Amino acid sequence: MKKRIFILSFVVLSLFSCKKSEPATSTTTESKQTETIVNGDPLPSWNDTALKKGIIAYVEKVTKEGSPDFIPQKNRIATFDNDGTLWAEKPLVQELFAFYRVKKMVEANPALAQKQPFKAVLEKDKSYFAKGGDKALIELVAATHTGMSEDEFETSVAEFFKVAKIPGKETALKSIRYQPQLELLNYLRANGFKTFIVTGGTIEVVRGISEDFYGIPKEQVVGTSFKYKYDPDKNVVLREPALDLFNDKEGKPVSIQLHIGQRPVFACGNEGGAGDLAMLKYSQGSKYPSFQMLVNHNDSIREFNYQEKDNLSLNTAAKNKYHVINMKEDWKKVFAD
């Protein structure tokens, strides 16, 4: 129950979060997946720092036949968090989708604008959820994310991504992807790694864009999920208003085992909520040579500068010798065009 309330609270807080800060992005609305190699460089948007050299050295040693560090291709599993790791988490896309769902539902039935929880969302009434507690939170998520077939929800997700723009700008959501990470995904795949997204976001929302945005098929997305049930009369799978698995912190290793069935040898998360530390620790326990990375959001000019109050992620990275991506120094370019 605690996990359910946590994720519901997260969604509601997101609905009312400040939108004054936005990442600096290109005005181009579409972009292609980056080429794997540019002028012989597999990671052209990375500066020539120790981290870039370390990534390349790791990949070369674990993919070289006869090397004592060789990893069979079937065991080359790489997992990446999404928000703050593959794309910016400001604005939070899950938040934008929740707003979209409320708007579409009110457009279809204007009377909902005077009913809760729609009225509270439209009026940004925090007090409604503070007073309503768990019941009000569950009501909001049930109203906007469940109570429909999975086919209907997937259609809603697809429609959202077709029209969604970054608030205050006219750029598509593709422009908040991190270019260096797109190159890293391609580089790993070119060397026999199978790449997965392991996100705290809802699995169906991320599956809606994973192939197009990252070249990762939907079956290689692991995320927070709701309970489902099969309706034999309509021959559809229905989404129920109950959380099945909250895919964050200690939930990530559990989800990885459930969906993937083995430890990743390469894992990347981000500093900002300590949600990826368990995944990195789990990866480090592999019987094969492993590589863990953490994105540090320390670039206030090109992206954002924010840290955890207790600095837990960075302290843990130092203690366990995880590699930290210094966005300001390691990335030549931040966002995709």
Side-chain angles (χ1 to χ4, degrees), residues 247-285:
N247 192 49
D248 196 49
K249 298 184 177 179
E250 286 74 20
K252 288 198 173 187
V254 174
S255 294
I256 289 170
Q257 177 59 37
L258 179 64
H259 289 269
I260 305 173
Q262 61 179 309
R263 294 176 191 257
V265 295
F266 193 104
C268 184
N270 81 106
E271 187 274 345
D276 299 314
L277 294 180
M279 177 175 73
L280 301 187
K281 182 177 181 180
Y282 188 56
S283 168
Q284 199 169 38

Side-chain angles (χ1 to χ4, degrees), residues 31-234:
S31 76
K32 298 178 181 178
Q33 286 282 10
T34 180
E35 290 81 3
T36 302
I37 299 175
V38 176
N39 296 325
D41 186 351
L43 303 173
S45 293
W46 293 70
N47 284 317
D48 193 25
T49 61
L51 179 55
K52 176 177 177 177
K53 294 174 182 177
I55 293 171
I56 294 174
Y58 170 78
V59 171
E60 289 180 345
K61 77 176 183 178
V62 301
T63 58
K64 184 179 180 180
E65 292 275 2
S67 166
D69 296 317
F70 179 75
I71 300 177
Q73 186 165 334
K74 66 179 181 179
N75 300 117
R76 296 177 202 166
I77 302 298
T79 57
F80 287 77
D81 173 53
N82 189 41
D83 295 319
T85 299
L86 293 180
W87 68 14
E89 56 189 354
K90 297 183 181 183
L92 190 66
V93 174
Q94 193 82 40
E95 167 192 346
L96 301 181
F97 178 70
F99 272 120
Y100 172 83
R101 286 288 302 147
V102 168
K103 180 180 178 181
K104 296 298 288 186
M105 294 176 73
V106 170
E107 285 178 355
N109 183 4
L112 291 177
Q114 300 305 315
K115 296 181 179 181
Q116 300 293 12
F118 303 94
K119 187 174 186 291
V121 172
L122 294 172
E123 296 178 357
K124 298 185 179 181
D125 182 8
K126 296 181 182 180
S127 64
Y128 172 79
F129 296 100
K131 295 176 182 178
D134 299 347
K135 183 179 179 181
L137 297 175
I138 293 172
E139 182 185 15
L140 172 63
V141 176
T144 58
H145 285 65
T146 64
M148 68 192 82
S149 73
E150 189 60 24
D151 293 336
E152 291 171 331
F153 189 77
E154 288 181 3
T155 297
S156 180
V157 170
E159 292 174 347
F160 164 71
F161 279 103
K162 284 182 181 179
V163 300
K165 302 290 183 182
I166 296 175
K169 299 180 181 290
E170 290 303 317
T171 53
L173 294 181
K174 272 191 172 183
S175 65
I176 65 170
R177 297 173 303 161
Y178 298 137
Q179 180 69 18
Q181 297 290 63
L182 297 180
E183 295 169 1
L184 178 56
L185 288 172
N186 283 341
Y187 178 54
L188 290 172
R189 288 192 289 260
N191 284 277
F193 284 80
K194 193 171 185 178
T195 55
F196 290 80
I197 295 174
V198 180
T199 176
T202 56
I203 190 169
E204 299 87 354
V205 171
V206 179
R207 280 176 170 173
I209 50 85
S210 62
E211 181 80 54
D212 183 31
F213 278 33
Y214 305 121
I216 295 176
K218 62 190 301 183
E219 64 269 20
Q220 288 169 218
V221 175
V222 181
T224 295
S225 59
F226 292 94
K227 290 186 179 296
Y228 303 113
K229 72 175 181 180
Y230 174 64
D231 183 337
D233 295 327
K234 296 181 179 179

Side-chain angles (χ1 to χ4, degrees), residues 316-336:
T316 303
K319 177 182 177 181
N320 295 338
K321 298 182 179 179
Y322 302 152
H323 302 272
V324 176
I325 297 174
N326 182 327
M327 187 179 291
K328 187 184 297 184
E329 297 181 5
D330 289 317
W331 286 356
K332 185 181 305 181
K333 177 180 181 180
V334 174
F335 293 106

Side-chain angles (χ1 to χ4, degrees), residues 5 11 22 28 70 106 175 188 192 224 244 246 254 303:
I5 299 308
V11 170
E22 306 295 348
T28 305
F70 179 75
V106 170
S175 65
L188 290 172
T224 295
D244 182 43
F246 178 39
V254 174
E303 202 234 18

